């Protein structure tokens, strides 16, 4: 194993190379400028090369110093990220949950008051977004993702299996019972998200008919927009059950035919393993798991 120089010397080099200033490094490390100079001189002796050119009023990195500075900065950043994942929770009273916008607005928000009543000591912050969080300095404690459950370096726990079913406003069918051949003549609203491409084909196979392209009147790539289009009576759509379950129960929309297909993706709770051990995440996981089971 390669012998490493003292950590303090690497820290002094890191800060000095950032600002090209021994004084700035001394202030960052809360030591004297002379101590910084000693640390860097020791690092140069360890490596057998000069890292800085000392001028009268400034210092400059040598060619070797510039190359080394990139490795040192990356190394410290990775170390800081790793420590942050396993360090004690610095804010146990605040829980930040990132989730896909459609799930947040259509399933989570209508139910979240029961979590807040059960845990008034936890201040909840929701971050609806479509981007994957990395849990490295973003303040997120837990993510709810819709995918295949494979998130390298993170633990994922299945939250809810999803199914897809045709849904529309009653005005679209005029209250009449629908047969598969009737559906082909209705205006269709299509979610073009990548996970629904195969499901759309499977649904048509199960239906026993092909929906013609000229029946498709609107294409979207986000579930909330599709829900609003359905509520507005724009047409019929193949939708995730979780997004329309409450609307179906309230009679605001209907499924005109009793056919559904499994979704290719599912909902997962995702976070570093250490996050799942914190009291606030454990409380939320317990609550949302019960809420999913109760419908």
């Amino acid at each position: 194993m390669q012998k490493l120089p003292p950590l303090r010397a690497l820290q002094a080099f890191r800060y000095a190379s950032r600002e090209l200033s021994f004084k700035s490094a001394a202030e960052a490390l809360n030591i004297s400028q002379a101590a910084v100079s000693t640390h860097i001189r020791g690092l140069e002796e360890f490596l057998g090369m000069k890292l800085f050119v000392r001028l009268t009023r400034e210092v400059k990195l040598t060619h070797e110093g510039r190359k080394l500075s990139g490795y040192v900065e990356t190394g410290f950043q990775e170390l800081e990220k790793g420590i942050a994942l396993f360090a004690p929770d610095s804010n146990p009273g605040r829980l930040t949950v990132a989730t896909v916008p459609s799930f947040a607005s259509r399933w989570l928000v209508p139910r979240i008051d029961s979590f807040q009543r059960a845990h008034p000591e936890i201040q909840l912050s929701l971050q609806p977004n479509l981007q994957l969080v990395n849990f490295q300095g973003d303040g997120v404690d837990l993510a709810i993702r819709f995918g295949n459950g494979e998130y390298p370096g993170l633990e994922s726990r299945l939250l809810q299996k999803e199914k897809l079913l045709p849904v529309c406003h009653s005005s679209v069918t005029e209250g009449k019972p629908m047969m598969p051949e009737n559906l082909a003549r209705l205006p269709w609203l299509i979610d073009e998200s990548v996970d629904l491409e195969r499901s759309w084909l499977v649904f048509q196979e199960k239906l026993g008919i092909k929906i013609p392209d000229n029946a498709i009147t609107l294409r979207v790539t986000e579930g909330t927009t599709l829900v609003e289009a359905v509520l507005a009576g724009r047409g019929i759509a193949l939708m995730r059950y979780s997004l329309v379950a409450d609307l179906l129960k309230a009679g605001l929309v209907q499924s005109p035919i009793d056919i559904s297909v499994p979704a290719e993706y599912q909902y997962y709770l995702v976070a570093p393993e250490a996050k799942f051990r914190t009291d606030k995440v454990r409380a939320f996981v317990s609550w949302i798991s019960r809420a999913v089971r109760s419908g």
Side-chain angles (χ1 to χ4, degrees):
M1 182 178 293
Q2 175 66 49
K3 183 180 179 182
L4 297 176
L7 183 63
R8 200 62 166 170
L10 291 171
Q11 286 179 311
F13 174 74
R14 179 194 189 191
Y15 289 111
S17 63
R18 273 182 176 180
E19 302 294 332
L20 295 180
S21 168
F22 286 11
K23 180 181 178 181
S24 296
E27 292 173 350
L29 295 171
N30 197 27
I31 59 177
S32 69
Q33 192 169 333
V36 169
S37 183
T38 298
H39 282 310
I40 290 178
R41 188 163 51 249
L43 179 60
E44 291 176 325
E45 292 173 358
F46 179 91
L47 297 172
M49 65 181 65
K50 289 292 184 182
L51 301 173
F52 288 95
V53 177
R54 279 84 165 169
L55 303 174
T56 304
R57 295 181 180 275
E58 62 179 340
V59 293
K60 293 184 177 180
L61 285 166
T62 64
H63 174 70
E64 292 80 7
R66 284 194 298 272
K67 291 183 67 175
L68 180 63
S69 66
Y71 289 108
V72 170
E73 183 64 31
T74 299
F76 272 107
Q77 287 180 2
E78 290 302 309
L79 183 61
E80 289 165 353
K81 291 175 183 176
I83 293 300
L85 295 179
F86 296 96
D89 189 358
S90 60
N91 197 347
R94 183 181 178 88
L95 174 66
T96 300
V97 178
T99 181
V100 288
S102 55
F103 186 81
S105 62
R106 290 296 167 182
W107 191 94
L108 187 55
V109 169
R111 294 167 172 80
I112 201 62
D113 62 321
S114 68
F115 172 78
Q116 294 171 312
R117 288 196 304 269
H119 297 279
E121 76 284 3
I122 298 177
Q123 182 182 4
L124 181 65
S125 174
L126 295 181
Q127 291 188 4
N129 63 74
L130 294 173
Q131 304 301 317
L132 293 179
V133 297
N134 59 18
F135 299 94
Q136 297 174 349
D138 52 22
V140 175
D141 297 295
L142 182 70
I144 303 172
R145 295 289 103 187
F146 188 62
N148 58 14
E150 297 179 4
Y151 304 97
L154 301 171
E155 180 175 339
S156 63
R157 301 180 181 180
L158 180 64
L159 172 64
Q160 179 178 359
K161 288 189 175 182
E162 186 62 280
K163 66 179 180 179
L164 303 165
L165 70 165
V167 177
C168 66
H169 190 272
S170 60
S171 61
V172 174
T173 61
E174 298 179 345
K176 299 175 182 177
M178 289 287 108
M179 299 297 289
E181 56 270 21
N182 301 130
L183 296 183
R185 293 191 288 270
L186 295 178
W188 277 86
L189 317 174
I190 300 297
D191 187 337
E192 293 190 310
S193 300
V194 62
D195 61 286
L196 288 176
E197 291 180 4
R198 174 173 165 76
S199 298
W200 176 239
L201 297 176
V202 172
F203 170 71
Q204 292 179 86
E205 290 175 2
K206 191 168 183 178
L207 201 60
I209 62 169
K210 185 179 186 319
I211 306 298
D213 287 344
N214 60 12
I216 300 172
T217 60
L218 180 66
R219 300 175 186 268
V220 303
T221 58
E222 204 280 316
T224 302
T225 304
L226 194 61
V227 172
E228 294 301 326
V230 168
L231 282 170
R234 291 290 307 277
I236 184 171
L238 185 65
M239 302 206 62
R240 302 175 201 161
Y241 177 74
S242 63
L243 303 186
V244 295
D246 293 343
L247 298 175
L248 287 166
K249 292 175 184 176
L252 297 176
V253 297
Q254 64 175 7
S255 183
I257 192 168
D258 187 20
I259 291 179
S260 65
V261 295
E264 187 172 348
Y265 287 176
Q266 312 298 337
Y267 287 102
Y268 290 88
L269 299 174
V270 181
E273 190 274 334
K275 293 282 190 181
F276 278 106
R277 295 200 301 267
T278 62
D279 290 341
K280 62 187 181 183
V281 171
R282 290 171 61 187
F284 185 84
V285 169
S286 177
W287 168 80
I288 197 170
S289 298
R290 291 196 304 272
V292 165
R293 289 194 297 269
S294 61

